[in-house]
Amino acid sequence: MPDQLNVHLLYAALFAPLAGALVAGLMGSLFGGHMIRRRTSKTVTVAGVSVSFVCSLIVLLDVMKGAVFDHAVYTWMTVGGTRFEIGFMIDSLSAMMMVVVTFISLLVHIYSLGYMENDDNVSRFFSYISLFTFAMLSLVMSNNFIQLFFGWEAVGVMSYLLIGFWLEKPTAVSAGLKAFLVNRVGDFGFIIGIGLVFAFAGSLNYQDVFDVREQLAAMTVPGTGWLAVSAICLFLFVGAMGKSAQFPFHVWLPDSMEGPTPISALIHAATMVTAGIFMVARLSPLYELSETALSVMVIVGAISALFLGLVAMVQTDIKRIVAYSTLSQLGYMVVALGASAYSAAVFHLMTHAFFKALLFLAVGSVILGMHHDQDIRNMGGLGKYMPWTYATALIGSLALVGVPFFSGFYSKESIINAIRVSSVTGATVALIAVGIGLFVTGFYTFRLFFYVFHGRERFQRQQLVNLKTAEKEKVPQGNLIGLLPGEKPHESPWVIRIPLLLLAVPSIVIGYLAIETMLYGTFFDEVIFIDHERHPAMYWMTLHFENALSMTLHEIMTPTFWLAMAGIATAWYFYMVNPVMPIRLRRKLRFMHRILVGQYYLDSLYRNVFVGSALWLGNVFWKWIDVTLIEDWIISRFFIRGTKIVASFISKAGDIDWIVSNILVWGAKRLGYLFWRTGDATLIDGAVTGGSRMIGWFAVVVRYFQSGHLYQYVFIMIIGLLCLLFWFVPIGLR
């Protein structure tokens, strides 16, 4: 029997960020009357996340020694014998996620001490990011679907608040609203999937559902031939597509770059966008039962990995390039999930969290050094001005491309190998897509690196633009974006550089050190379930793996590795040797360039089809239902006019003459008319007239039989006799 984790340690890891968030948000903001200073708000939130990280690290070490925890800690409510509980499932998967979330969150908190120093709402900002950490921990520590859904929605709400943090910036507010709405579309499918789990499994506890997986495999959705487990997995994956920003639900993430840069590192690189990947890995016992769901994930991931990476090749906003890189790398993880290489997907999730957070924070350092200018066309030659940022950005770039001995190399090559030997439908297409994606990744990553840190200095152009703007519009120079004449880019302070250096270390070594344990060891045993007979990818990879060094030597001889290197070489030639070449290609491929710049026009499609249809329907309900039907007819013509009539009646009720003339006389007239029409004309006259007509009709009929012919009289008599016989004989026999 494995050892049980200390539940108080779990409480501390979960609620320490929440405590810091409540103190800073309630007491350090305008809402609480600024009872504590800005410095105190920063201190309590950083302390809360620090406690959470230390506790998470202790939990991970205990889990690696064999300790686990899977129990309910609180019963929320009981409905019809069904208990809705709050509990923890702590194993190697959730413990690893806890450490990744809290470590990166802690570094983002420290980084924000410098990045957000001059912001007027810094207490609110620190409260938000601590509250987000609590929500993400609730998600990864849950042992049931209800708690999972709470954390799922909570991180969505916090994402909305953090993206739109700068309330005075219309683009930030719109981006936050867009992220919220797109995620709600995915969450609609997610909650349907949870409902189907409860309907077919009869429980929302993970382990209870896993225990009846064989029964679920035999069930079908009533009225259809659909497998119940396929329907469950597909609907849950729709939620993952929204949260993890997979095509076509990816449109919210590039716009989310309107928020502060630390948010991009925390939410949109390392934590929130990986929630969908974590959810599918956690539910691997269910997904292994559905070939349909696995195939869908392979295809969706391949599309995202390739086509969203292509968009990054033409972007000029430094944060958007890294954002599209995140979308592409999430596609790699989804492909691995579809190939039943769940551990490879989670491994890439971990390595990607470190080097992508590093890249985002390095980008933030560049933005500070350029006085918030994010256009790479206004940069160049920053390497000599920002050596620390240059070195850390280079490490992050090499890890992202997958250069040997950097962390991204081992996780990406593992995914490529898994999809290469996978038998899932669509695996061949996915292999081609991710192979081309390796070249694309190398190209756009080092296009960004060369454009920003090498080449000629281009920020003088923006300096002249700013000078003319300040003179023409009389704008204070401190409010302008970009460097002013005479200014040079500058390195960020140490409070920003320290998180960069701390993230650079795992970006280099974590892949080499952890691959054998996480992918080919016993780290995920009893946590991730794979049917090796149907999906032998991971089993095959285990047979051919010796150690990290031998894997490195083998993979550098494969075509996929050299595709990535070719991408780097192409970027070097285009932007360092022959800068005219990109301009020529842009002119020749103008149509393709326009499509990529327009991001496949999905935003326009959604705006015209869905948003436009919603606005049209809203106008219909407003103009025809609300204004015409309700206001004009029901309210104005029925209620208002009816009220006037009643009021007029009541006002005249006291007038005797009006009562006599309008009630008594009118009633007498109507009564007399009734007696005349009904009694006299209809009853009396009608009876007499109708009786005369009936007698006349009978006479005509009788006259027909009284023809005077004897044979007619005889025939009638015979008929009468037969009738008597048929009537009396049966009676006599009784």
Side-chain angles (χ1 to χ4, degrees), residues 64-81:
M64 294 179 70
K65 296 176 183 178
V68 294
F69 190 95
D70 185 11
H71 297 286
V73 296
Y74 177 75
T75 300
W76 179 35
M77 63 178 178
T78 302
V79 179

Side-chain angles (χ1 to χ4, degrees), residues 473-615:
E473 302 182 6
K474 298 181 179 180
V475 178
Q477 293 185 353
N479 295 340
L480 296 174
I481 294 176
L483 300 173
L484 295 172
E487 288 186 334
K488 298 291 184 179
H490 57 85
E491 186 62 272
S492 300
W494 278 106
V495 71
I496 289 178
R497 279 182 271 176
I498 288 175
L500 295 177
L501 296 174
L502 292 176
L503 283 170
V505 176
S507 298
I508 298 174
V509 303
I510 195 67
Y512 185 91
L513 298 178
I515 183 172
E516 187 168 357
T517 301
M518 291 188 66
L519 261 61
Y520 309 111
T522 60
F523 189 77
F524 288 126
D525 283 1
E526 307 299 327
V527 177
I528 292 175
F529 176 81
I530 302 175
D531 186 349
H532 292 293
E533 293 184 0
R534 300 170 60 188
H535 309 121
M538 288 303 301
Y539 179 73
W540 181 90
M541 291 167 60
T542 303
L543 294 178
H544 292 78
F545 179 83
E546 296 181 6
N547 52 60
L549 181 60
S550 64
M551 176 185 176
T552 304
L553 297 176
H554 177 267
E555 295 301 326
I556 62 176
M557 304 302 295
T558 59
T560 53
F561 167 76
W562 289 107
L563 278 171
M565 298 302 103
I568 298 177
T570 305
W572 174 79
Y573 178 76
F574 276 18
Y575 299 100
M576 298 297 296
V577 179
N578 190 6
V580 181
M581 182 61 69
I583 301 174
R584 293 177 179 175
L585 283 178
R586 191 184 308 137
R587 293 173 180 173
K588 291 182 179 181
L589 304 175
R590 187 178 294 110
F591 177 74
M592 183 179 296
H593 182 265
R594 190 180 299 115
I595 292 176
L596 294 178
V597 171
Q599 305 167 40
Y600 307 111
Y601 298 103
L602 286 176
D603 281 321
S604 300
L605 176 65
Y606 294 156
R607 185 165 47 252
N608 294 328
V609 176
F610 297 105
V611 178
S613 299
L615 290 174

Side-chain angles (χ1 to χ4, degrees), residues 296-536:
V296 169
M297 288 192 294
V298 164
I299 297 299
V300 171
I303 293 173
S304 301
L306 175 58
F307 290 97
L308 300 183
L310 289 172
V311 179
M313 297 170 62
V314 300
Q315 296 295 309
T316 57
D317 185 292
I318 189 171
K319 289 177 66 175
R320 282 182 173 264
I321 296 173
V322 185
Y324 275 103
S325 169
T326 299
L327 295 173
S328 180
Q329 297 305 304
L330 289 169
Y332 281 85
M333 301 176 203
V334 174
V335 167
L337 294 173
S340 292
Y342 305 97
S343 55
V346 174
F347 184 49
H348 191 52
L349 183 158
M350 181 191 68
T351 61
H352 175 266
F354 294 124
F355 65 71
K356 187 53 62 71
L358 173 62
L359 276 176
F360 265 116
L361 296 186
V363 164
S365 179
V366 170
I367 294 173
L368 284 181
M370 292 294 298
H371 196 66
H372 303 289
D373 190 356
Q374 298 181 193
D375 194 334
I376 62 173
R377 295 170 297 182
N378 300 329
M379 303 177 186
L382 300 188
K384 65 180 179 181
Y385 300 104
M386 309 175 72
W388 291 95
T389 303
Y390 174 88
T392 52
L394 178 61
I395 292 172
S397 299
L398 294 173
L400 173 59
V401 175
V403 174
F405 300 106
F406 289 84
S407 60
F409 170 80
Y410 300 97
S411 56
K412 291 178 74 173
E413 290 298 325
S414 298
I415 293 175
I416 297 295
N417 289 331
I419 197 65
R420 183 183 289 120
V421 298
S422 175
S423 58
V424 176
T425 303
T428 303
V429 176
L431 180 61
I432 297 173
V434 297
I436 300 173
L438 292 173
F439 172 86
V440 173
T441 302
F443 180 84
Y444 68 66
T445 301
F446 276 86
R447 168 182 177 264
L448 170 65
F449 186 79
F450 293 140
Y451 231 121
V452 173
F453 295 104
H454 290 273
R456 63 183 181 87
E457 300 176 358
R458 292 179 294 272
F459 43 81
Q460 292 87 354
R461 181 179 61 180
Q462 186 64 27
Q463 290 174 345
L464 296 176
V465 172
N466 282 340
L467 184 62
K468 293 179 180 179
T469 302
E471 294 176 350
K472 184 178 179 180
E473 302 182 6
K474 298 181 179 180
V475 178
Q477 293 185 353
N479 295 340
L480 296 174
I481 294 176
L483 300 173
L484 295 172
E487 288 186 334
K488 298 291 184 179
H490 57 85
E491 186 62 272
S492 300
W494 278 106
V495 71
I496 289 178
R497 279 182 271 176
I498 288 175
L500 295 177
L501 296 174
L502 292 176
L503 283 170
V505 176
S507 298
I508 298 174
V509 303
I510 195 67
Y512 185 91
L513 298 178
I515 183 172
E516 187 168 357
T517 301
M518 291 188 66
L519 261 61
Y520 309 111
T522 60
F523 189 77
F524 288 126
D525 283 1
E526 307 299 327
V527 177
I528 292 175
F529 176 81
I530 302 175
D531 186 349
H532 292 293
E533 293 184 0
R534 300 170 60 188
H535 309 121

